[in-house]
Each structure stands twice: as structure tokens, then as C-alpha cells.
Amino acid sequence: MEGGEHRLQPGGHVTEARGDRSRGRDETEDERADRRWSELIQEVRVAQTGVQILFGFLLTVVFTPRYEDLAQTERTIYIVTVVLGAAATGALIGPVSFHRIVAGRRIKPAAVRWAARLTVVGLVLLLATMTSALLLILRVATHDEFVPWLVGCVLLWYLLCWFVLPAWIRRRDADD
């Protein structure tokens, strides 16, 4: 940081502040990693809850009497959906395990980057799980030819809300 600014640490130690005021925050790399980790965990909690509830319901379908009446196509969609749900669950729980395994190794900034990547993978898998589950439900409920179109519209909505809009805002409002 310009001007030799310093920060008073607990215990009275003075360290040079290495934050970047141009981005609106005055924090060290470790402080940034701590903040980003806290934010990431809050985000993951929301996604984990959704995927775990969906996955739990999916697991029960095979034990219902109606499952035997499903056509082979619907059974295949069901199996793909369950596997996607399991993969999404793993990816979204991964950051917690990742943090626990690397905790105390003084590599938190790298851990946060990798946990964030796992979270994005988990969101993509959650997107696929929800789309596949919707396809299965609507095929069984309606047997109409408009089902793929309806699922496609919902998929586009998910993509818009989860990825396109955030990427557009990020690009539009990014500091150069």
C-alpha cells in the first residue's frame, strides 16, 4: 500500500497493511481469505440444504410402488438424476472437508480458491440435478410433448439467474 500505512495488531504489534484500497477494502491477504471463507460457507449452506433435501426425496422414489410402473426411459432419467444429486452433494460438502483437512497449514488463500471452485462445480451439478428431476417429474405427470420445452425454459431461467446475470454484473461493474 502506498504511503507506508500500518495496522495495529492484537498484542500491540504493528504490521504493514497490505490491503487494496482501490477495491474498497483495507485487509491483508489472510483477512481477505477469512472473509471470503465465511462468505463461501454461508453460500454453500444454502445450496447444501437444497441439494440434500432434493437428494433425500430422490432416494425414496425407488421404494414406492409407482416406481415399478415407470417406463425404462423414466427409470434411466431417475438413475441419472440420483447420480447427479449424489455428485452435487459431494461437491457442495467438499469445501467443508477441504477446509478441515488443510486447516492450520497456513494455506487458507489457496484453500478458499479451491473450495470456491468446488462450489461452482457443485452448483453446476445441482443445476443438472434439478433439471433432470424436473424432466422426470413432468414426464411422469403429463406425458405431453411440451415437457422438453418447459424444462428447457426452466433451465434457461436457472442459467440466467445463477450464471449469466452474475457474470454480466461482474463484467459491467468490475474495477479496471
Side-chain angles (χ1 to χ4, degrees), residues 51 54-55 58 80-88 124-134:
V51 75
L54 177 59
F55 187 57
L58 285 170
V80 168
T81 304
V82 168
V83 170
L84 287 169
V124 170
L125 289 167
L126 178 57
L127 170 76
T129 304
M130 291 179 67
T131 304
S132 181
L134 183 62

Side-chain angles (χ1 to χ4, degrees), residues 62-109:
V62 75
F63 299 106
T64 64
R66 180 97 192 257
Y67 182 78
E68 295 298 322
D69 298 333
L70 291 178
Q72 186 57 47
T73 301
E74 279 76 25
R75 286 181 183 210
T76 301
I77 294 170
Y78 170 75
I79 290 167
V80 168
T81 304
V82 168
V83 170
L84 287 169
T89 300
L92 290 170
I93 292 174
V96 175
S97 176
F98 199 100
H99 180 260
R100 184 54 30 221
I101 291 170
V102 302
R105 304 278 184 202
R106 299 196 183 276
I107 57 171
K108 194 167 205 173

Side-chain angles (χ1 to χ4, degrees), residues 9-99:
Q9 298 294 323
H13 297 89
V14 177
T15 59
E16 183 175 323
R18 292 173 290 180
D20 184 359
R21 286 193 190 272
S22 68
R23 292 189 178 182
R25 297 200 186 265
D26 182 22
E27 54 190 8
T28 65
E29 183 179 10
D30 288 339
E31 290 169 336
R32 183 177 302 115
D34 288 342
R35 176 183 52 81
R36 290 184 67 218
W37 178 255
S38 294
E39 292 171 353
L40 179 66
I41 288 302
Q42 287 300 100
E43 295 161 1
V44 167
R45 282 184 183 134
V46 172
Q48 277 179 348
T49 301
V51 75
Q52 287 171 334
I53 290 169
L54 177 59
F55 187 57
F57 281 120
L58 285 170
L59 292 177
T60 66
V61 169
V62 75
F63 299 106
T64 64
R66 180 97 192 257
Y67 182 78
E68 295 298 322
D69 298 333
L70 291 178
Q72 186 57 47
T73 301
E74 279 76 25
R75 286 181 183 210
T76 301
I77 294 170
Y78 170 75
I79 290 167
V80 168
T81 304
V82 168
V83 170
L84 287 169
T89 300
L92 290 170
I93 292 174
V96 175
S97 176
F98 199 100
H99 180 260

Side-chain angles (χ1 to χ4, degrees), residues 128-165:
T129 304
M130 291 179 67
T131 304
S132 181
L134 183 62
L135 177 64
L136 176 62
I137 290 165
L138 292 177
R139 282 180 59 102
V140 170
T142 68
H143 302 290
D144 288 331
E145 64 226 22
F146 71 86
V147 167
W149 293 103
L150 186 57
V151 172
C153 288
V154 172
L155 173 60
L156 288 174
W157 177 248
Y158 288 160
L159 289 169
L160 178 69
C161 293
W162 294 7
F163 300 104
V164 174
L165 185 58

